[in-house]
Each structure stands twice: as C-alpha cells, then as structure tokens.
Amino acid sequence: MIDTLEQNAQELVSEMDREKPLAEIEVGWTWGKPPRGAVAVAKSPSTDRGLAITVWAKSKSGSGFNAAWFEFGTNERYHKSGKRTGRITPRPFFYPVYRGKKRRVKSRLTRNINKAIKGA
C-alpha cells in the first residue's frame, strides 16, 4: 500500500509540475506535514505507522512569489506609495490536476488494497 501511495503522489506532482505557470513555484510531496509556507492540496489516509502523504506547492526560497497567488489570483495590488502594481489573474495548476486525477488515484489505491486482502 505504501508503494501505491508514493506512486499516486509522484503522478500528481509530475502533472502539477508540467502545469505550473511559473518556474519559481516548487511542487512536491512528503510524508507528514508540508514545508513551511506551502499550500497543501491532498492528504492521504494515515498508514499503520501513522504517516500520511501530503502533496504541496510553494515558492522556491527567495523568489518573492507565493504559489497561492497564481492558483487563486489576487485583487488589485498597490505599493506603499499608492502606485498601482496590478493584479494577478488566476492560473490554476494545482486543484484542477488534483480533481482530474482523484478518481484514478482512489481506484488504484482501492484495487491494490483489495489485491492485498485477497492475497493474505
């Protein structure tokens, strides 16, 4: 089952990485909690060891960008001096991939669990 969880996470991350709008955005997965400043999309059920896989997206350190800005967009932004700096239109790359792959990921997990039960 652990192999299936890792395979599903890697598949999601690969697709999200292809769809991301900016190179400064980092997409990945980890066992347990996501890194500080990351937006988490999915968390797997806990394993027998109490671990769960979390798929996340965040800006690369020092880039000054926030991954959520590109996923959800922003309102008009202004500098301290009052100068308008524009807005970021939403260019979702995270949740559409997750929603598109959710059924496949769940069915693969269910299939492998049933296979393991029958083999036991």
Side-chain angles (χ1 to χ4, degrees), residues 67-89:
W69 294 349
F70 296 96
E71 181 71 19
F72 306 112
T74 63
N75 289 331
E76 291 293 329
R77 298 175 300 144
Y78 298 92
H79 192 270
K80 289 180 185 177
S81 65
K83 181 181 176 186
R84 181 180 173 275
T85 58
R87 65 184 296 240
I88 298 174
T89 57

Side-chain angles (χ1 to χ4, degrees), residues 22-96:
L22 203 59
E24 284 83 11
I25 296 173
E26 182 180 359
V27 181
W29 67 272
T30 185
W31 286 101
K33 293 184 177 182
R36 183 179 167 104
V39 177
V41 67
K43 190 172 182 179
S44 70
S46 295
T47 64
D48 55 347
R49 291 182 279 174
L51 296 174
I53 287 181
T54 305
V55 179
W56 52 266
K58 73 176 197 125
S59 300
K60 292 184 180 174
S61 61
S63 69
F65 289 104
N66 186 336
W69 294 349
F70 296 96
E71 181 71 19
F72 306 112
T74 63
N75 289 331
E76 291 293 329
R77 298 175 300 144
Y78 298 92
H79 192 270
K80 289 180 185 177
S81 65
K83 181 181 176 186
R84 181 180 173 275
T85 58
R87 65 184 296 240
I88 298 174
T89 57
R91 294 172 54 191
F93 65 97
F94 203 63
Y95 286 106

Side-chain angles (χ1 to χ4, degrees), residues 1 4 108-120:
M1 184 169 117
T4 305
R108 181 186 295 146
L109 186 59
T110 303
R111 186 170 50 250
N112 287 342
I113 288 172
N114 289 337
K115 191 181 200 181
I117 289 172
K118 287 179 184 177

